[in-house]
């Protein structure tokens, strides 16, 4: 069995997702050229799972890095698992493939491994990522998410995406897709904010019962420079319990939080563009947490989100009003 397969989770469509992925969302202060360098470094370190999105506006740089690492023989396209996401202004069924094709052009790829609905709220189509009226309020769109899902199914059938899934969905929203008449493909995963302060245990239990993988973002807390991040939350990696466990294992707090997710059967995205931390984060397969460690980390849960967007919170589909 290959090393990539060994550290992978099998999805409900038969494809495999590497358990540890590189997140690429970065605040505007980070130069796009840094993303390109980070992808090349990450592939050299051993990362094979790269997570991005149409909305991150970095897919040209990611594409260049991927093409360079294929050209120099480090990887083949089939070694990589690449995720992109459908942004909310493309939810009308006729726009779903357009968004994916735009990503593919920038990436210089013929397919992505995973295509996700980024957020369960539709916004007015157009050039603006967050279309607003004259009062500065977001202009939403009325689209049945089930019709959006059918358009994702067509992208899979067309070979543009090997697997399809969702992101930031709660149980109710997942059930809406799962109970859709004529459902052709189940979502393979639900990518959500997940870390010891928000361990998503109920959502994880629900997803496991439906054979849907949970993929965790903001696994290390989050970068306070990002627009959607609450600024007054405690810093996860400074937590004393987490640090005590890290010290016991002679590991970093980041390694422990990532290992925590992997031992729960959760795929984890870690975002770092720093070479030393990229290497450290990739060493999570070299140690194991004890049942007592896992219990202590479970005990840190406080249902605390780093990501909240007030401008969307009054929408009926806003997924974070409910615990799971």
């Amino acid at each position: 069995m290959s090393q990539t397969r060994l550290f992978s989770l099998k999805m409900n469509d038969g494809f495999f997702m590497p358990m540890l992925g590189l997140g690429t969302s970065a605040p505007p202060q980070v130069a796009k050229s840094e993303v390109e360098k980070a992808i090349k470094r990450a592939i050299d370190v051993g990362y094979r799972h790269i997570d991005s999105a149409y909305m991150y506006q970095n897919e040209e740089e990611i594409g260049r890095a991927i093409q360079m690492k294929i050209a120099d023989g480090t990887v083949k396209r089939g070694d990589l698992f690449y995720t992109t996401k459908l942004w909310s202004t493309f939810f009308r069924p006729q726009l779903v493939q357009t968004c994916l094709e735009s990503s593919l052009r920038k990436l210089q790829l013929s397919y992505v491994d995973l295509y996700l609905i980024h957020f369960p709220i539709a916004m007015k189509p157009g050039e603006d990522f967050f279309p607003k009226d004259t009062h500065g309020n977001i202009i939403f769109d009325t689209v049945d998410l089930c019709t959006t899902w059918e358009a994702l199914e067509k992208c899979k059938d067309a070979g543009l995406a090997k697997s399809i899934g969702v992101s930031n969905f709660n149980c109710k929203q997942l059930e809406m897709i799962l109970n859709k008449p004529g459902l052709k493909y189940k979502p393979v995963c639900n990518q959500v904010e997940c870390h010891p302060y928000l361990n998503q245990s109920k959502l994880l239990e629900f997803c496991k019962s439906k054979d849907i993988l949970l993929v965790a973002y903001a696994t290390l807390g989050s970068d306070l420079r990002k627009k959607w991040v609450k600024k007054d939350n405690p810093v996860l990696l400074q937590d004393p319990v987490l640090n005590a466990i890290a010290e016991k294992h002679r590991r970093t707090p980041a390694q422990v939080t990532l290992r925590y997710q992997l031992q729960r059967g959760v795929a984890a995205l870690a975002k770092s563009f720093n070479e030393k931390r990229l290497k450290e984060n990739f060493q999570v397969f070299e140690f194991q947490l004890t049942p007592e460690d896992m219990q202590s980390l479970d005990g840190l849960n406080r249902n605390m989100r780093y990501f909240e967007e007030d401008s969307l919170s009054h929408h009926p589909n806003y997924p974070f009003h409910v615990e799971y």
Side-chain angles (χ1 to χ4, degrees):
M1 189 181 277
S2 73
Q3 190 179 29
T4 311
R5 180 65 58 87
L6 191 64
F7 300 131
S8 294
L9 294 165
K10 190 174 185 180
M11 299 185 289
N12 63 39
D13 62 358
F15 290 112
F16 287 82
M17 175 192 289
M19 292 179 86
L20 182 67
L22 180 74
T24 63
S25 164
Q29 299 94 313
V30 175
K32 294 280 195 280
S33 58
E34 285 302 305
V35 178
E36 191 172 329
K37 284 182 206 158
I39 299 295
K40 288 190 276 192
R41 279 189 206 118
I43 290 173
D44 286 339
V45 166
Y47 288 82
R48 296 296 177 259
H49 176 174
I50 299 161
D51 180 90
S52 189
Y54 177 87
M55 202 265 270
Y56 299 168
Q57 300 178 72
N58 60 13
E59 291 190 304
E60 278 180 37
E61 290 75 18
I62 292 173
R64 276 201 297 274
I66 287 172
Q67 295 307 325
M68 282 183 210
K69 296 321 290 180
I70 290 172
D72 73 11
T74 307
V75 286
K76 299 185 181 75
R77 170 63 187 97
D79 299 330
L80 297 174
F81 185 98
Y82 182 83
T83 301
T84 192
K85 306 181 193 82
L86 172 74
W87 184 237
S88 297
T89 52
F90 291 88
F91 276 18
R92 292 183 186 183
Q94 66 272 26
L95 299 177
V96 169
Q97 189 168 317
T98 307
C99 183
L100 178 53
E101 285 171 342
S102 172
S103 286
L104 289 170
R105 267 195 307 277
K106 291 173 191 165
L107 292 159
Q108 306 170 61
L109 298 176
S110 59
Y111 70 91
V112 296
D113 296 273
L114 182 59
Y115 192 31
L116 305 180
I117 295 179
H118 201 150
F119 203 78
I121 292 177
M123 295 183 219
K124 182 191 169 190
E127 294 298 306
D128 295 334
F129 285 99
F130 292 93
K132 292 182 178 170
D133 63 19
T134 50
H135 302 290
N137 298 315
I138 300 246
I139 306 170
F140 297 112
D141 197 16
T142 309
V143 183
D144 179 352
L145 282 175
C146 288
T147 63
T148 305
W149 183 254
E150 284 167 8
L152 264 83
E153 291 178 326
K154 286 177 182 162
C155 290
K156 178 174 165 71
D157 283 336
L160 300 176
K162 284 192 168 185
S163 302
I164 52 176
V166 297
S167 181
N168 296 303
F169 273 47
N170 59 34
C171 279
K172 191 177 160 199
Q173 290 157 341
L174 275 170
E175 283 192 312
M176 180 182 65
I177 302 288
L178 293 171
N179 297 333
K180 184 187 89 63
L183 180 72
K184 192 167 185 183
Y185 304 116
K186 277 166 65 166
V188 295
C189 70
N190 184 19
Q191 186 185 123
V192 295
E193 178 180 349
C194 187
H195 43 75
Y197 285 170
L198 179 72
N199 70 22
Q200 301 278 19
S201 56
K202 288 185 179 176
L203 184 59
L204 175 59
E205 194 182 320
F206 175 82
C207 286
K208 281 185 174 177
S209 76
K210 303 294 181 186
D211 197 17
I212 294 169
L213 288 182
L214 201 71
V215 180
Y217 70 77
T219 48
L220 312 177
S222 196
D223 190 330
L224 294 178
R225 295 172 297 172
K226 288 183 183 175
K227 176 182 172 285
W228 286 20
V229 173
K230 290 165 89 174
K231 309 295 183 246
D232 53 353
N233 280 342
V235 177
L236 173 67
L237 296 181
Q238 291 173 4
D239 186 274
V241 173
L242 181 57
N243 277 268
I245 293 170
E247 212 171 297
K248 181 177 83 167
H249 290 277
R250 296 183 180 171
R251 296 287 169 174
T252 68
Q255 287 171 329
V256 171
T257 62
L258 292 170
R259 184 71 210 179
Y260 169 67
Q261 299 296 0
L262 304 191
Q263 286 186 213
R264 303 167 83 215
V266 173
L269 302 175
K271 205 231 87 182
S272 178
F273 294 168
N274 172 289
E275 189 165 9
K276 178 175 176 278
R277 286 196 290 272
L278 277 169
K279 285 178 179 169
E280 283 176 352
N281 292 346
F282 201 70
Q283 289 162 1
V284 289
F285 302 106
E286 297 173 8
F287 73 105
Q288 208 156 10
L289 298 170
T290 66
E292 293 74 30
D293 295 333
M294 292 296 288
Q295 203 173 345
S296 298
L297 291 167
D298 280 339
L300 295 179
N301 184 57
R302 47 178 91 175
N303 290 327
M304 190 202 83
R305 294 182 184 278
Y306 284 98
F307 282 80
E308 296 242 9
E309 180 46 45
D310 293 339
S311 62
L312 302 177
S313 61
H314 62 284
H315 191 281
N317 266 8
Y318 189 68
F320 306 148
H321 289 314
V322 290
E323 191 186 331
Y324 72 105

